[in-house]
Amino acid sequence: MEIAIQIILNGIIASAVYALMAMAFNLMYGVSRLFHLALGGFAVVGGYTMLFFLEHTTLPLGLSLLVSMCIAGVFGWLCDIVIFHTLRRRRASTLVQIVASLGLLLTIQALIAIAFSSEYQSFPRSLATGTIEIGGGILAMTQVMMITFALVCLVGILLFLRFTKYGRAVKAVSDDAEVATIIGINTERVIGLVSFSASCLAGLAGALTGFDIGLQPTIGLSLLLKGAIGGVVGGLETISGAALGALGLGLIENLGTWFIASQWKDAIAFAVLIVFLIFRPRGLISKK
């Protein structure tokens, strides 16, 4: 029984990071209809910025995390202005934009590997110390903080989309960008705002991954794929669906390791994706 509880807790921990990436993925897809592969690179930027602050500065942990998120956000926003805004203005096809985002991801990974080496690196400080016991399972306080951050981001995004002017503009562009433009919404400004927000979420996911298991330049691709699968499973059109899909993916992955080797986690994730694409392509939650 204790093993089952620990496996479930491990699934919830994994889903916290997946949820951040899935929400970032769904936000970008909603306003641009683009599978933005570069989000994995922005996660790496956030993670390695956090590593730099921890190793070379004396900034408080919370401030370092906030600045790392913002740097990833600004970097994602600048990439959108320089690359993707230009492609949209020239009416480049979705395929061209996807290839550009893949190229950007690979470029970021290569530059990070040059700057920090391609070896795994662990953070010199923990996000929090101590452990708690839940039904015989053990959670480190760092992992509790990871879950807390994911929940706060989920609630914050839902409140932002529902109760703010810019949030309603994001929903309008997500529903129909052409109609939103006709009624006077600056769609490029909205896409820029979402690029910054989604990149911040990805940067937070990268930093939290560093606190949990350490960092490697290529880890962004893994985070991106798990976030994308969580987004598709939950429903690409909703933020709550992204969180639900990420939770389901994390639990299924870790429950699967009860029966087969943990090396098959990725295979389990892709099997779940294939099942949903065949039987429920719109995901668990979809807009009416």
Side-chain angles (χ1 to χ4, degrees):
M1 185 63 182
E2 291 182 357
I3 296 176
I5 292 174
Q6 187 63 58
I7 290 174
I8 291 172
L9 292 176
N10 290 343
I12 295 172
I13 295 163
S15 67
V17 175
Y18 296 171
L20 291 171
M21 290 301 297
M23 287 188 287
F25 192 83
N26 280 19
L27 279 171
M28 281 305 306
Y29 179 82
V31 297
S32 66
R33 291 298 184 265
L34 171 66
F35 280 68
H36 206 316
L37 305 182
L39 286 169
F42 304 149
V44 174
V45 169
Y48 275 91
T49 302
M50 188 70 197
L51 176 64
F52 176 83
F53 283 140
L54 292 177
E55 289 184 340
H56 301 288
T57 72
T58 57
L59 287 175
L61 203 61
L63 181 59
S64 297
L65 187 60
L66 179 62
V67 174
S68 298
M69 284 177 57
C70 291
I71 288 175
V74 171
F75 183 73
W77 173 68
L78 289 175
C79 288
D80 181 75
I81 290 176
V82 174
I83 300 173
F84 299 100
H85 172 69
T86 303
L87 291 175
R88 289 191 298 269
R89 191 176 68 245
R90 295 179 178 178
R91 299 187 181 277
S93 67
T94 301
L95 179 59
V96 169
Q97 295 184 57
I98 291 175
V99 171
S101 69
L102 176 60
L104 180 57
L105 167 62
L106 296 177
T107 301
I108 292 170
Q109 289 184 167
L111 292 175
I112 292 292
I114 292 171
F116 292 92
S117 88
S118 59
E119 301 297 323
Y120 251 102
Q121 299 188 56
S122 57
F123 284 181
R125 283 189 280 165
S126 298
L127 189 60
T129 57
T131 60
I132 61 172
E133 183 176 342
I134 301 176
I138 302 297
L139 275 179
M141 288 305 298
T142 293
Q143 296 167 335
V144 174
M145 294 297 293
M146 291 169 61
I147 297 169
T148 302
F149 281 131
L151 289 174
V152 169
C153 288
L154 172 61
V155 173
I157 292 172
L158 291 175
L159 292 176
F160 170 78
L161 293 176
R162 185 177 180 87
F163 295 110
T164 68
K165 175 183 176 181
Y166 278 110
R168 290 190 289 271
V170 169
K171 292 175 70 174
V173 173
S174 179
D175 288 338
D176 194 319
E178 194 170 327
V179 172
T181 302
I182 291 172
I183 65 175
I185 295 175
N186 188 331
T187 56
E188 284 300 324
R189 181 179 296 175
V190 170
I191 293 174
L193 171 66
V194 171
S195 295
F196 173 79
S197 303
S199 301
C200 283
L201 289 173
L204 177 59
L208 294 180
T209 299
F211 279 114
D212 189 31
I213 62 173
L215 288 177
Q216 192 178 30
T218 56
I219 204 169
L221 180 59
S222 176
L223 290 175
L224 169 71
L225 292 175
K226 297 302 175 64
I229 292 172
V232 172
V233 168
L236 278 173
E237 298 174 329
T238 64
I239 296 301
S240 55
L244 182 60
L247 176 61
L249 177 63
L251 290 173
I252 292 172
E253 266 191 355
N254 283 273
L255 288 171
T257 61
W258 200 353
F259 304 99
I260 59 177
S262 60
Q263 290 88 339
W264 291 90
K265 266 188 176 183
D266 290 345
I268 294 171
F270 282 107
V272 171
L273 174 64
I274 291 170
V275 169
F276 270 84
L277 288 176
I278 293 173
F279 296 104
R280 195 174 177 86
R282 294 183 66 86
L284 294 172
I285 301 175
S286 60
K287 289 183 179 179
K288 297 180 180 179

